[in-house]
Amino acid sequence: MSNKSSTSNKVVGLTASAGFQVGVRRTLPISPEQTWAYLTSAEGLKLWIGTVSPLSFHVGETFQSTEGISGQFRVVKPYQQLRLRWEKREWGEPSTLQIRLLSNHPDKTTISFHQERLDNPLAREQMKLHWEGVLAAIREHITHP
């Protein structure tokens, strides 16, 4: 009899130290500066935070959207990265969300959403669909402004 390896029982998206995680990315024909400007605009913010008062995007800044998403910015690197605490009202604990803008070409940017510290596989799947929807909406905005 052979023993099953521990990897055969691994749950998708589960990490040893950060709970469940999910990552979604897409490369779009837009510069990092244009991507940042859109993500931090009121229209862009509605996609990934919801309706909020204008934000200044500084470390330590907190937010609360009318849709029930709250959080706090932990890392702010313009045109490159946002790392923040991100929580839905119905969750018991906040997650960590990282948005990275990756580019080595002036008119192409890969937008990466990576979220960890999710409670369970259902939350992971819901957030995977959410971030895929956000990327699709950004793509639609860019291709049909």
Side-chain angles (χ1 to χ4, degrees):
M1 265 170 88
S2 66
N3 290 334
K4 287 185 180 179
S5 72
S6 61
T7 57
S8 66
N9 296 327
K10 184 167 171 53
V11 177
V12 173
L14 182 60
T15 66
S17 61
F20 286 86
Q21 66 178 353
V22 65
V24 178
R25 62 174 53 198
R26 175 170 280 156
T27 301
L28 298 172
I30 186 173
S31 72
E33 294 80 10
Q34 291 169 307
T35 306
W36 180 269
Y38 182 67
L39 284 173
T40 59
S41 71
E43 184 180 355
L45 284 168
K46 281 182 188 177
L47 297 174
W48 61 278
I49 291 179
T51 307
V52 291
S53 299
L55 298 173
S56 62
F57 296 94
H58 66 269
V59 173
E61 181 178 24
T62 60
F63 58 84
Q64 172 75 49
S65 74
T66 57
E67 293 81 358
I69 296 170
S70 62
Q72 181 179 40
F73 292 100
R74 301 293 173 92
V75 174
V76 178
K77 295 180 183 176
Y79 317 118
Q80 296 178 18
Q81 176 188 18
L82 290 168
R83 185 173 176 90
L84 55 144
R85 192 184 81 229
W86 193 97
E87 181 177 4
K88 287 187 169 190
R89 182 177 320 151
E90 61 271 17
W91 291 359
E93 295 291 325
S95 68
T96 298
L97 173 63
Q98 182 165 242
I99 303 171
R100 295 183 69 92
L101 307 181
L102 310 166
S103 179
N104 43 7
H105 198 278
D107 59 356
K108 279 188 185 173
T109 302
T110 299
I111 305 169
S112 169
F113 288 93
H114 183 265
Q115 193 169 21
E116 58 188 37
R117 304 186 62 81
L118 297 167
D119 284 342
N120 56 56
L122 179 59
R124 179 190 181 276
E125 186 59 28
Q126 288 173 339
M127 294 316 302
K128 179 178 185 285
L129 294 173
H130 175 75
W131 298 125
E132 287 172 349
V134 168
L135 287 170
I138 294 169
R139 181 177 165 273
E140 181 65 22
H141 169 78
I142 289 167
T143 56
H144 300 98

